[in-house]
Every structure is written in C-alpha cells, then in structure tokens.
Amino acid sequence: RINYNFDNRYLLGASFREDGSSRFGLNNQYGFFPSFSAAWRVSNENFFANAKKVIDDMKVRLSYGTVGNAEIGDYASMARYENKRLPFGKDMTTIVTLKSMANPDLRWEKSRQLDAGIDLSFFNGRIEFMADYYHKITTDLLYELQLPSNSGYEKTMTNLGKIRNQGFEFNLGWNESLNKDLSYGVSFLGTYNKNEVVEMGAESQVITGGTIHGGTYTSRTLAGYPIGGFWLIPTDGYFNSTEEVQAHQKDGVLIQPSAEPGDIRFKDTNNDGTINDEDRVYCGSPFPKFTYSINGNITYKNVDFSIGFQGVTGNKIYNATKLELTDVTRGTNYLASTLDYWTPENQNASSPRLIWTDPNRNARSESDRYLESGSYFRLRNLQVGYTLPTVWFHGFVQKARVYVN
C-alpha cells in the first residue's frame, strides 16, 4: 500500500494485493486486485481564498479498484458424488452417483469500479454536500450451471457473464447550533442505480427464476435487462360484455375462446392469435431505481430527539401471497378483497368474476395481475433521549443517558 500527501492539497494512494483460495480450480486459485485513488483539495489552493467566505472546504476525488468474490462454499470446483437409495430386486441398496462435475478452470469473480466524487462544506460547516458517480462492472460471475442429463452430472460451478451497475449517490446535510442550549440538523441521502446484464454465458442464454407453484417462473435474466427482471403476460382490464369477447380476435378466430363477461382480457403481444408464454414481455425490475432517506435531530439542553424516514421507488414486487389467497379454484379461505368481484353492476372490481372452474385462467400465475409497485416511504426510526446531569454522580460517571426508541 502506498499513500502520498503533498501540502494537504494533492493526495494519491495505491494498493496491490494478491489473494489465493483453494475453493477455485487448480489453474486459477490466485487473483490480483489493485486499486488507485487521487484527490485534490481545491480549497487549499491560493486562488480559492476569496471563495472561502462561503465554501469552507472543497475536495474532488477519483478512484478505481478491483475486488474479488470467493463465496461459493468449499469443494465447489471439485467433482462431487452423493449416496442414493435405489431398489434392486426386493432390497433397497445404497449406491454412489455423480453429482457435480469438476471445473479446474474455475476462477475468482471480479468487480471493477470507477468512482468520481466531490465533497463541499459551506458556511462554517452548516451545510455539507457529498456526491459520487460510480460505474461498476462485475465479470466471471460464479454460477451453478445445471447440466443436461446425458452428461452424467447434475451441475457444475462455472464463471459466466458480465453485469453493470452504475448511478450516483449524494448526501446533503444542514447542522446548526443556535445557542449553547439549542442545536438541530437535517439530512437527505439518495442513491440512483441502474442494474443491467451486459453479457450472459452464451449470446442467447436465459436464466429463469422466481418459480412458484406448478413450476411457473416469473423472472428472466438475460442480456440487456436487469438481473431477475419480471417477464409476464400483460393484462388489459375485463371483458365487460359478450361483444368485447367477440371483438378480441385474430383473423376471425377468438383469442380467448373460453372467456365470458367478467373475465380478464390478456394482451396478445406477439399477435399470433393465442395467449401463451410467447406473450410475456418485460414488466419491471426488482431493484429500486432510487433509494433515499430523510433524517432530522434536535437537542435542547439535556433533551434530544431524532427521527428518520426511508423510501424506495421504481421497483416491482410479485405478490405470490395474493395469487395463493385469491385463486377461487382452490376451495380454501380467500382474502377479503376477493369479495370485490366483477358483476355487470360492479365492472370496476378488483377481482374478476367468481367461477369455480376458471376456464379463462384468470388466476394464471404468469400474468402481471399479481405484479405490484414496490415503492414505499416509511418512518424507520424515532428516538427521544435525556442526558442525566453529571452532578448527580459526583464524578463517578462521566455521562449517562436514557432513551426510548
């Protein structure tokens, strides 16, 4: 590790490390992880003297570094076997079967990140501002790949793909002491992030996930989209009349031949005249686009008060609980919201018509009916405290504070 500081104006740093792990293949057990940083404290320059009446401190930062990930468990690169009990004749016999194929070329997962930022302080430290832009590329992701049955193995640990995360972070705060008894502070922190799969193991490779009952998947990971993005069949309201059912057709053939008024209309996105898996489209990301928090505190003499709020926006959540508890074909207890079902007099209902057999498959789990906004804003922390006067303890205790959180 090397650090250099010239006149508290120019700061440079560099580190070089090589790590080894027996978890990886014999050919790639070591990884090299360098990092570099530079900073310029502009406020210490002579030309900045006049600006110091307003800006107390200003520093510009730039860094680039690489880190590795080895969290795959032990023996992941080695061939593994397992015991199974199988019938031979009239007896159950224990046999050893192949489970995981060895991968002597398994290597470190690496993340390379570029960060550029600025720190500012105004009015004798009353206002502080920090902002950073980051660009992170993760390559050689460690992934347990399922193998075809004719290989003789179930799976193997491998490296594949490239993922990019980029965005910006900021922190704006105000702190002030009005007198010796009263002080307060407020701050606002925010992070914007965009997650994207740049490359998969193969150009056309798709990894499905979010599997629910019946083996239906709700998410896909593929190049050009975020990890685990939701791919679902879009809904388009209800059929409110027989005429609307008849109008939903392709070349004179009904797209949803089993539908009746009160059923959900699904979009034929590929225009092939039928509703199936080919109609799935990208419907949103599980990752928030923006995460933020607002915090405040105030102290008056020995009494202090703090409060914190947190929120996210821009992400989606698949509500599998709603799927399970509104599917009327199951013959179990339902959510009370199911009582708001479609009738000719209640066409803006939250649930389709009630029918035991569900011939239109209104409850199909691969639709966006159960996809909801994940955005929220909530009170995260609330605390009131009181610092006990030191005279009570006659010098035996320097500070004591009681609080309710």
Side-chain angles (χ1 to χ4, degrees), residues 1 4 8 15 22 39 41 46 96 107 125 179 189 191 274 280 290 296 299 312 315 321 347 360 366 378 385:
R1 180 186 298 272
Y4 176 76
N8 204 25
S15 67
S22 59
R41 193 175 294 278
N46 294 331
V96 178
R107 57 189 177 273
N179 52 54
L189 296 82
T191 301
T274 186
R280 292 181 186 247
F290 188 61
T299 301
V312 302
N315 62 313
T321 301
Q347 296 186 354
N360 188 56
E366 65 270 27
R378 67 182 180 188

Side-chain angles (χ1 to χ4, degrees), residues 245-261:
V245 174
Q246 297 297 319
H248 192 47
Q249 59 174 268
K250 167 72 173 177
D251 299 330
V253 178
L254 293 182
I255 296 175
Q256 294 176 239
S258 300
E260 294 187 17

Side-chain angles (χ1 to χ4, degrees), residues 214-236:
T216 304
Y217 71 88
T218 59
S219 67
R220 291 173 177 169
T221 298
L222 68 160
Y225 294 91
I227 298 173
F230 293 107
W231 288 77
L232 302 164
I233 301 172
T235 56
D236 189 23

Side-chain angles (χ1 to χ4, degrees), residues 24 111 115 151 273 282 364 390-391 393:
F24 296 108
S111 294
D115 188 285
S151 69
Y282 175 68
R364 68 181 75 204
T390 55
V391 296
F393 304 100

Side-chain angles (χ1 to χ4, degrees), residues 18-42:
E18 186 174 39
D19 293 335
S21 174
S22 59
R23 291 178 173 179
F24 296 108
L26 294 174
N27 301 333
N28 293 296
Q29 290 189 340
Y30 291 90
F32 180 60
F33 308 105
S35 65
F36 308 91
S37 64
W40 176 28
R41 193 175 294 278
V42 184

